Amino acid sequence: MVKNRKKRKALVQQSYCVACGCCVKVCPVGAIQIMNGITAQADPSTCIGCGKCAKECPASVIEIQEVED
Ligand code: SF4
Ligand code: SF4
């Protein structure tokens, strides 16, 4: 098994998210949701790191990060 394989995951800077829901609409796998009507949160176990949410976010508060698998 290959160790230290990198995966790309969306990370919302939650203090800047305006909960508009644009990211939720574009995610192809339903990995990102608005929590408590306040902020978006991406589920790292579902997110495939496609970056669509980051492109769509009008506030540019989603980063695609490389994480260890
Ligand atoms: S990076 Fe892609 S899969 Fe991950 S939350 Fe954003 S739109 Fe969904
Ligand atoms: S598109 Fe950006 S501002 Fe809108 S809910 Fe998603 S992360 Fe928050």
Side-chain angles (χ1 to χ4, degrees), residues 26-41:
V26 296
C27 180
V29 294
I32 193 158
Q33 289 184 328
I34 307 292
M35 308 299 283
N36 304 321
I38 300 169
T39 179
Q41 190 175 322

Side-chain angles (χ1 to χ4, degrees), residues 10 26-29 31-32 42 47-53 64:
V26 296
C27 180
V29 294
I32 193 158
C47 174
I48 54 170
C50 69
K52 282 188 181 169
C53 57
I64 305 298

Side-chain angles (χ1 to χ4, degrees), residues 41-69:
Q41 190 175 322
D43 175 5
S45 62
T46 315
C47 174
I48 54 170
C50 69
K52 282 188 181 169
C53 57
K55 268 189 211 143
E56 195 69 15
C57 177
S60 303
V61 300
I62 305 177
E63 285 174 27
I64 305 298
Q65 295 202 325
E66 288 202 331
V67 295
E68 299 293 332
D69 194 5

